[in-house]
Amino acid sequence: MFKNYNMNQLVLPLDLEVKLQTNDIAFHIHHLVESIPNEAFNLFLRNEGCPAYHPRMMLKIILCAYSQSVFSGRKIEALLTDSIRMMWLAQGYKPSYRTINRFRVEPEVKELIRQCFVQFRCQLVEEKHIDQEAIFIDGTKIEANANKFTFVWKKSVENYHQGVIEKSNQIYNELLEKEIMPEIERESEEQVTLEELAHMVQKVEDVISDYDQKIEASADVTERKELRSERKYPKQVRKQLMDFIVRKQKYQRDLEIFGTRNSYSKSDPDATFMRMKDDYMKNGQLKAGYNAQIATEGQYTLAYSIFSNPTDTRTLIPFLDEIEQRYFELPKHIVADAGYGCEQNFHDILSNRKREALITYNMYLKEQKKTYKQNQFNSHNWQYDGGTDTYTCPNQKRLEFQYHSVRSDRTGFQRKFKIYECKDCSGCPFRSSCTKAKEGNHRKLMVNEKWEQQKEYVRAKLSEEKTSAIYRKRKIDVEPVFGYLKANLRFTRFSVRGKSKVENEMGLALMAVNLRKYTAQQLR
């Protein structure tokens, strides 16, 4: 005996909600988007044209699709006819893939995504899933939607640009020597500007026009031949100058795109070529990508940001600024790995933000080893005399204070050093092990007192039971989010181009990870 199965019998349509499981992810997506204030949707109001799909509905179906590892607009459109949860969230509407793709990259959607993170965090606090004691910060590099061989390198552009500058200066001097054009008032003696190149082209064209008139007016074959020979050089110069103008415009445009970066992709100028962990060719090939920074607690992403520079060190301060301005007030503890440990970051967190920085530095683990502590040639183990302000080396010679030194990095941050120097290193039996200075030069020691104080602060904090327990959570809090994003959600490459559009897609993907984890936790 079989259960009744008749394809020819009419069945009345039922509410799709009853076909969903009690704790289906669609319900959590629905409640999250519905919690966004109505004011956030005013940016989407239009007074002309056909009525648009409601932004709440569009955001729901995109979040639901991303939670199912579907990132293609065409596949999302197909789900609207196949998936019960998608049909319920869309309530019978079927926007085309073009509408879906246009919506998810609109600048106004960024505010909706921000509201999703804000409302989701409020929900986590209310349900006591997070205690707001600390945030855990880390970054990962994700490949951009760009061709692998469309790279432009800053050093190459600077070299080519310098070549154009030198050649244009050379031509300018030649034109003055040959009296083809008079001397012009230049903005700088170092290089000829675009306006000055255009002026030079005009002067050379005037000379060529004079030769043309003389050639037409002359009836003597020999004279015409000589005039044509003399006209040859100005015509060559005009061609070169026109080429210089085009190239100089291109190089200046490239340098503007670079900013502080060393490379960019022609397919996606906002993307920078970075070394990815997923190196399938095993040859260290650089790929165009973005540096995604996230702040988590309880393995939930509470805030995120996208950067074009590959190093994490210079992303911490702007990321913390963005968290404070757009997401929430910073908690007491800010936790990150050694990639963020530098004097500037410690100064910002401790002095400017008045928070505790549980961030290690590059040498932290090495300093804990016995070999490091017992190495007599390591200057950190040398005896320091505060009264005389001197260090004593393994050969029992004193390094006395000489002068102060200030160094600035690429961001303009200044670090202050005290320079110590030994009076006489000649004949020292430990010289080869102690210093790499050339013969005749003595051992110097650079000490950054502020940095040493910050490192001592970190060592003290990480030796305390409470703060060390918080720091140990870092690996099991922020790292699983990236693993879930890339391995479970299979989000390893952006499908849009441009930093603004990439920020939207990253936010959708991270919120999809949050919703999947939250749903699984509710089931348990």
Side-chain angles (χ1 to χ4, degrees):
M1 186 175 179
F2 297 102
K3 293 183 179 180
N4 182 38
Y5 175 71
N6 189 348
M7 292 290 291
N8 298 319
Q9 184 177 355
L10 179 65
V11 179
L12 294 175
L14 299 174
D15 186 0
L16 293 173
E17 184 176 356
V18 301
K19 292 183 175 291
L20 297 175
Q21 295 181 3
T22 306
N23 194 46
D24 194 274
I25 192 172
F27 293 125
H28 299 299
I29 293 172
H30 168 70
H31 293 313
L32 174 64
V33 177
E34 288 296 326
S35 67
I36 298 176
N38 291 326
E39 294 77 15
F41 297 92
N42 292 337
L43 296 171
F44 295 88
L45 292 175
R46 301 290 185 270
N47 296 324
E48 63 277 339
C50 178
Y53 292 111
H54 201 289
R56 287 190 194 271
M57 184 270 289
M58 296 296 295
L59 184 58
K60 288 177 186 178
I61 64 173
I62 293 175
L63 278 173
C64 186
Y66 271 66
S67 69
Q68 308 305 310
S69 303
V70 177
F71 315 116
S72 164
R74 291 180 185 270
K75 291 181 179 180
I76 295 174
E77 181 186 12
L79 280 180
L80 290 169
T81 59
D82 297 340
S83 171
I84 294 177
R85 59 168 62 99
M86 289 285 282
M87 287 190 285
W88 176 69
L89 290 172
Q91 288 296 295
Y93 290 110
K94 296 179 181 178
S96 68
Y97 71 92
R98 290 189 180 91
T99 304
I100 294 168
N101 288 340
R102 280 197 299 266
F103 177 82
R104 64 176 169 177
V105 299
E106 283 186 10
E108 292 84 358
V109 175
K110 188 174 183 180
E111 174 60 20
L112 295 186
I113 297 171
R114 186 190 73 83
Q115 286 286 348
C116 282
F117 280 93
V118 173
Q119 297 299 328
F120 187 74
R121 180 178 178 274
C122 293
Q123 183 178 338
L124 294 176
V125 173
E126 185 178 345
E127 297 176 7
K128 297 182 179 179
H129 289 299
I130 59 176
D131 54 16
Q132 306 182 74
E133 187 178 25
I135 55 170
F136 304 87
I137 295 175
D138 203 357
T140 188
K141 299 178 183 66
I142 298 180
E143 191 175 345
N145 183 14
N147 192 297
K148 297 177 184 177
F149 305 104
T150 57
F151 41 75
V152 183
W153 305 107
K154 188 174 185 178
K155 186 172 287 187
S156 297
V157 170
E158 289 176 341
N159 290 338
Y160 290 136
H161 190 211
Q162 185 61 34
V164 169
I165 292 173
E166 293 174 358
K167 290 177 181 177
S168 57
N169 286 334
Q170 182 181 350
I171 289 178
Y172 174 74
N173 294 329
E174 288 178 0
L175 293 175
L176 293 182
E177 290 177 6
K178 296 180 183 292
E179 298 183 351
I180 294 177
M181 63 170 286
E183 186 174 356
I184 59 176
E185 185 177 349
R186 296 172 58 181
E187 293 182 11
S188 172
E189 294 297 326
E190 296 179 359
Q191 63 173 311
V192 182
T193 63
L194 284 169
E195 294 78 10
E196 291 166 355
L197 282 172
H199 182 70
M200 290 167 63
V201 170
Q202 186 61 46
K203 291 293 184 182
V204 173
E205 284 182 346
D206 293 340
V207 173
I208 294 172
S209 298
D210 292 340
Y211 275 113
D212 291 341
Q213 294 174 4
K214 290 178 182 179
I215 291 170
E216 291 178 4
S218 176
D220 188 358
V221 176
T222 305
E223 185 181 1
R224 287 163 65 92
K225 190 174 181 179
E226 291 177 357
L227 289 171
R228 288 195 190 95
S229 179
E230 293 175 4
R231 187 184 62 177
K232 189 174 181 180
Y233 176 75
K235 290 181 74 174
Q236 291 176 345
V237 169
R238 180 180 63 180
K239 185 178 179 181
Q240 284 183 307
L241 290 174
M242 295 293 289
D243 179 56
F244 289 163
I245 289 175
V246 174
R247 290 169 61 188
K248 196 175 182 68
Q249 288 175 337
K250 178 184 178 301
Y251 296 148
Q252 288 182 351
R253 185 169 60 252
D254 287 341
L255 291 171
E256 288 177 2
I257 294 174
F258 283 125
T260 57
R261 297 180 293 159
N262 293 323
S263 64
Y264 77 86
S265 170
K266 294 177 184 176
S267 303
D268 184 358
D270 291 336
T272 307
F273 278 82
M274 309 175 182
R275 199 174 303 281
M276 304 288 180
K277 288 183 179 178
D278 301 327
D279 186 12
Y280 306 110
M281 301 289 289
K282 304 297 181 183
N283 59 359
Q285 181 184 10
L286 302 179
K287 296 178 184 177
Y290 290 92
N291 188 355
Q293 298 289 315
I294 65 170
T296 69
E297 188 178 359
Q299 296 185 0
Y300 291 106
T301 304
L302 307 181
Y304 76 100
S305 189
I306 296 292
F307 295 90
S308 296
N309 51 298
T311 55
D312 290 336
T313 309
R314 289 185 290 144
T315 62
L316 183 61
I317 295 175
F319 185 37
L320 293 177
D321 289 337
E322 187 167 352
I323 291 174
E324 286 187 313
Q325 294 167 10
R326 303 185 68 244
Y327 292 98
F328 53 86
E329 184 180 354
L330 292 174
K332 182 179 180 182
H333 301 100
I334 296 173
V335 189
D337 62 16
Y340 299 87
C342 71
E343 182 182 343
Q344 185 176 6
N345 289 343
F346 281 122
H347 174 75
D348 180 76
I349 295 172
L350 300 175
S351 302
N352 298 342
R353 305 182 196 273
K354 308 299 181 183
R355 300 293 192 275
E356 291 189 5
L358 303 183
I359 304 173
T360 55
Y361 47 92
N362 289 332
M363 294 292 292
Y364 177 77
L365 292 178
K366 192 173 181 179
E367 288 178 358
Q368 313 306 313
K369 295 182 179 179
K370 188 175 181 181
T371 54
Y372 183 91
K373 295 179 179 179
Q374 294 181 351
N375 184 3
Q376 61 177 339
F377 300 110
N378 184 353
S379 58
H380 290 89
N381 298 328
W382 291 0
Q383 184 181 355
Y384 175 71
D385 186 352
T388 58
D389 193 13
T390 58
Y391 286 87
T392 304
C393 75
N395 198 26
Q396 300 304 312
K397 291 190 176 182
R398 290 189 175 185
L399 282 78
E400 298 178 353
F401 170 72
Q402 302 297 322
Y403 57 91
H404 290 279
S405 176
V406 178
R407 295 191 177 186
S408 301
D409 56 18
R410 284 192 289 179
T411 61
F413 183 77
Q414 292 186 339
R415 295 178 296 163
K416 298 179 180 179
F417 294 89
K418 293 179 71 175
I419 309 300
Y420 296 82
E421 185 176 2
C422 182
K423 287 186 176 180
D424 186 16
C425 287
S426 57
C428 178
F430 305 125
R431 181 181 176 85
S432 59
S433 301
C434 183
T435 180
K436 296 180 181 179
K438 296 180 180 178
E439 285 294 336
N441 295 335
H442 306 301
R443 177 71 158 94
K444 284 187 177 181
L445 183 62
M446 297 177 63
V447 178
N448 185 340
E449 291 184 335
K450 187 175 182 181
W451 176 233
E452 295 300 327
Q453 291 170 3
Q454 291 172 347
K455 290 198 293 185
E456 182 59 35
Y457 163 84
V458 171
R459 288 192 289 267
K461 282 294 178 183
L462 296 185
S463 63
E464 296 176 8
E465 184 177 353
K466 181 182 177 182
T467 49
S468 63
I470 294 174
Y471 181 78
R472 286 196 299 271
K473 285 185 187 177
R474 188 194 67 80
K475 288 184 180 180
I476 61 171
D477 198 292
V478 67
E479 298 289 356
V481 176
F482 292 136
Y484 204 109
L485 178 72
K486 294 182 178 181
N488 293 3
L489 207 66
R490 297 192 297 277
F491 187 86
T492 57
R493 191 173 190 264
F494 291 110
S495 56
V496 293
R497 295 177 177 178
K499 187 177 178 181
S500 176
K501 298 176 182 178
V502 162
E503 285 178 343
N504 285 2
E505 187 171 36
M506 192 73 225
L508 293 168
L510 290 170
M511 183 48 65
V513 171
N514 284 346
L515 289 165
R516 282 182 63 164
K517 178 175 175 56
Y518 181 81
T519 304
Q521 198 170 38
Q522 294 298 106
L523 282 171
R524 289 196 296 268

